[in-house]
Amino acid sequence: MGMNPCGPSPSLRISPFSVCLMSWHFSALKYQDILETILIDSCIFPSTTIPDHLSSLIIVMLYDFQDRKFQTRVLSDNEESISEVQVVENLLNSFKIKLAAALARCRIKHDALSIYHILPETVRKQELRASTLPLYAWINTCKISPEEVYNNLKRRGYNKVKSVLHIDDKVFAVDQHCYDVLIFPSHLKNDLINIDLFKDYKLIFQDKSRSLAVHSVKALLNMDDDILMVNTGSWYTVAHMSILTNNNTSKVFVCGVQSQAKDPDLKTLFTKMGCKNIEILRETFINIESKDHRLQKVKVILLLPRCSGLGVSNPVEFILNEHEDTEFLKDHSQGGISVDKLHILAQQQYEQLTHAMKFTKAQAVVYCTCSVCPEENEAVVKKALEFQDLGNKVQPYRLSPPVLPLCSLKEIQLSTDKFFRMEPSEITNGCFLSVLTRERDPSETVSVKDVLARAAAKGLLDGIELGKSSKREKKKKKSKTSLTKAATADNGIQMKIAEFLNRETKASANLSETVTKPPLPQKNTAQVGASSQTRKHKLDPHPAVPTFMKNTCPSRLHERQTHFIRPRPEDRMVALKPIEIVLPPVFMPFSSPQGIRSWMPTQHLYCHWVAPKALVPTCLPTPSLSRKGEKPKDDTRSSLLRPPRRWL
């Protein structure tokens, strides 16, 4: 989480001495009340005349003096002596016995083993977390792949593990939420900053909350969508957002950079990191109109508002690295922040969030803070959603769960209101993340590239890169696609025809086997056999193309069956069995009894009875049963009776 110490210029670089001095200042703020009591009790105040501009310096140096057990500081050969520091140091050395006695009385009064135990419990827990908090670093995928980083670290003696907690060896792990974020034990920082991976901007130390924010934005983007970043803090956040969208045609707009003196340093930094799609805007975010012509393609706004940072375990490093306001150091040293300051911060966050929701072309706002105070986070978002302006007839915003590359929604710890919140712990700082989305304009079409881009952002493509294709390649792909589709359609039709013919062949074969069984030694058996022979004789050699016989009713029946009966699979064919059914005498409407005798050789009708599934007519017609004493009605079924069998 520390800043890369090897920056391109002094203006963007934080020296180790600055970090050390700020740490002393923060520690002095934590113990300010105790140290002032010691100065008064030891009679340094008000017996000596100390200039006002040195009052803060004497507090800081007294903390360092008691931490060294009131021993004189030895200057190194390379360290230059500062006159003001030397004056204060000589003063403290002359009062060191009285200072030690005053400290002892203070410890006895509070019944504390050391000055550390006099601090409030919240501050002590914060210091304990800061001492064990792992280091987070994200991989610059524009310059190196994750696999190359793993191999490089393994050659240097680092082993990949699942968790770096409570491990003193040279190890690293991959973060559970972001695939390009590595975790190292805190004691390895001095060793890591001296290797080429960090010197060449291939690995960058930064707090995890910023990586969560940019990955949440990436998951909401299409290929051509632009991003607007507000209150970015560290320039590494801007670089990370640019690197994640390197394969897209997106632009990353950064607002509020009013100092033009930083432009050369920023361009040098972004060039060394491989960032090419960053646009800097001079105006502050509130002063930018929602209809600005430069921002018409902005679909996602990343809002990193100024916050209290109460979820951070090491406020000194965070404030320095993320360019936050140092006035909060005193509040952090007391373990909290005043209510008035919280209200001011919440009002500023609300104004920025509501202004972001006025951009009619934007489809999502990602809001991220490093605070765990509900007055800043949930209250601001809910208020903005409740009073959002719908005067432009746009879709209203709603809360959506964040999409992270390595996590499903079940693995992400969300509140009931779909907020993503991480409490401060021994493995990470606290943070708050909220994603506000609304439905896209129906007139906007979503291309295949957009779908693939979102899938890649969610980690569904497993590292598949999306390349850009030229117009000629697109035309070739279109022609090939059309030809392939046509060929596929023809092949599909041919396969369906072949399958249909195959089924018809099997059905006709089964039918022929059924009708050619040995006849039973009775008249009805002979009758059924003759009719089956007649049907077999009239079937076309090719089962799919029936032959239509002129002026023959059975052929018409067969034609109707061929077109309406769906061929069954072979395993579902039900064999037809002859059954004798005795019916009352049937009187046919012929003019002479001889005609009746010629058509009806007996007073019994025989038919095939089909299994219960057969709702469609089978090969033989089934006459309807007549009631007792009722003459059958004259209908068209009389034309379907069998012709006379003169050979009987």
Side-chain angles (χ1 to χ4, degrees), residues 39 43-55 58 84 87-88 90-92 94-95:
L39 288 173
C43 298
I44 291 182
F45 287 156
S47 61
T48 58
T49 56
I50 301 175
D52 293 339
H53 69 278
L54 294 180
S55 57
I58 194 172
E84 293 178 343
V87 170
V88 174
N90 292 336
L91 176 64
L92 293 176
S94 63
F95 280 86

Side-chain angles (χ1 to χ4, degrees), residues 2 37 149 272 274 294 334 553 570 602:
T37 303
V149 173
K272 287 191 174 184
R294 297 168 296 180
Q334 305 303 321
C553 295
E570 187 176 354
T602 62

Side-chain angles (χ1 to χ4, degrees), residues 357 359-360 362-363 394-398 437-440:
M357 296 168 70
F359 285 75
T360 56
Q363 304 297 332
V394 294
Q395 294 290 335
Y397 277 99
R398 64 183 185 277
T437 60
R438 63 183 171 195
E439 305 218 354
R440 287 183 174 264

Side-chain angles (χ1 to χ4, degrees), residues 278-530:
I278 299 174
E279 298 262 347
I280 296 177
L281 306 178
R282 303 297 175 192
E283 304 92 334
T284 59
F285 178 60
I286 297 296
N287 294 330
I288 296 178
E289 295 184 1
S290 59
K291 297 181 180 180
D292 194 306
H293 68 279
R294 297 168 296 180
L295 308 178
Q296 293 306 301
K297 292 181 63 179
V298 169
K299 299 301 180 184
V300 183
I301 299 175
L302 174 56
L303 184 59
L304 302 171
R306 185 168 171 257
C307 66
S308 63
L310 291 177
V312 178
S313 299
N314 192 340
V316 174
E317 283 197 0
F318 181 80
I319 288 174
L320 289 176
N321 297 340
E322 298 299 327
H323 303 168
E324 297 292 339
D325 199 339
T326 56
E327 70 178 19
F328 291 115
L329 280 177
K330 186 173 183 178
D331 298 297
H332 281 283
S333 67
Q334 305 303 321
I337 191 170
S338 64
V339 178
D340 294 338
K341 287 186 178 180
L342 276 179
H343 285 320
I344 294 173
L345 289 172
Q347 182 62 28
Q348 292 175 354
Q349 294 170 10
Y350 173 75
E351 291 175 359
Q352 290 184 345
L353 184 55
T354 52
H355 186 63
M357 296 168 70
K358 293 178 182 178
F359 285 75
T360 56
K361 296 293 185 179
Q363 304 297 332
V365 178
V366 177
Y367 169 96
C368 182
T369 70
C370 291
S371 175
V372 291
C373 185
E375 288 82 358
E376 291 182 87
N377 302 327
E378 290 94 333
V380 171
V381 175
K382 290 180 179 178
K383 183 180 177 182
L385 288 173
E386 183 179 358
F387 297 102
Q388 59 181 311
D389 183 15
L390 300 179
N392 294 322
K393 297 182 180 180
V394 294
Q395 294 290 335
Y397 277 99
R398 64 183 185 277
L399 283 173
S400 300
V403 179
L404 300 176
L406 298 183
C407 291
S408 62
L409 290 179
K410 294 181 179 178
E411 296 172 331
I412 300 177
Q413 298 177 356
L414 296 175
S415 65
T416 55
D417 298 324
K418 298 181 181 178
F419 296 129
F420 177 83
R421 186 187 299 103
M422 283 196 311
E423 296 293 333
S425 65
E426 59 182 353
I427 61 173
T428 183
N429 286 325
C431 78
F432 174 85
L433 182 65
S434 177
V435 178
L436 284 69
T437 60
R438 63 183 171 195
E439 305 218 354
R440 287 183 174 264
D441 188 353
S443 62
E444 297 181 3
T445 58
V446 180
S447 63
V448 177
K449 285 187 177 181
D450 297 335
V451 177
L452 293 176
R454 289 192 179 185
K458 295 176 183 178
L460 302 178
L461 299 183
D462 296 331
I464 299 176
E465 294 185 358
L466 304 176
K468 301 177 182 178
S469 57
S470 62
K471 293 183 179 179
R472 292 183 179 179
E473 292 177 353
K474 289 180 181 178
K475 291 181 179 179
K476 289 181 180 179
K477 287 181 180 179
K478 286 183 180 179
S479 60
K480 288 181 180 179
T481 305
S482 59
L483 291 174
T484 306
K485 287 183 179 179
T488 306
D490 293 341
N491 292 336
I493 295 172
Q494 295 294 335
M495 290 176 64
K496 288 181 180 179
I497 293 174
E499 184 180 358
F500 175 74
L501 294 177
N502 188 21
R503 287 182 180 179
E504 287 290 332
T505 306
K506 289 182 179 180
S508 62
N510 293 333
L511 183 62
S512 61
E513 289 179 3
T514 303
V515 299
T516 54
K517 286 185 178 180
L520 296 176
Q522 288 182 359
K523 287 184 179 181
N524 56 354
T525 307
Q527 187 178 3
V528 172

Side-chain angles (χ1 to χ4, degrees), residues 72 80 99 151 180 186 224 258 289 297 317 435 577 617 639:
T72 305
E80 296 181 2
L99 289 171
N151 295 333
D180 62 344
S186 58
D224 302 328
Q258 299 178 359
E289 295 184 1
K297 292 181 63 179
E317 283 197 0
V435 178
K577 297 181 180 180
S639 62

Side-chain angles (χ1 to χ4, degrees), residues 144 147-160 169-172 182 184 188 190-200 202-203:
I144 193 170
E147 289 74 17
E148 291 174 333
V149 173
Y150 304 157
N151 295 333
N152 192 314
L153 291 173
K154 288 178 182 178
R155 288 195 298 268
R156 296 178 180 276
Y158 288 83
N159 296 318
K160 186 178 179 181
D169 297 333
K170 297 174 69 174
V171 294
F172 70 95
L182 301 184
F184 299 91
L188 297 175
N190 292 331
D191 181 53
L192 289 170
I193 60 177
N194 294 318
I195 66 176
D196 294 337
L197 289 175
F198 287 90
K199 290 181 179 180
D200 298 337
K202 296 177 180 178
L203 274 177

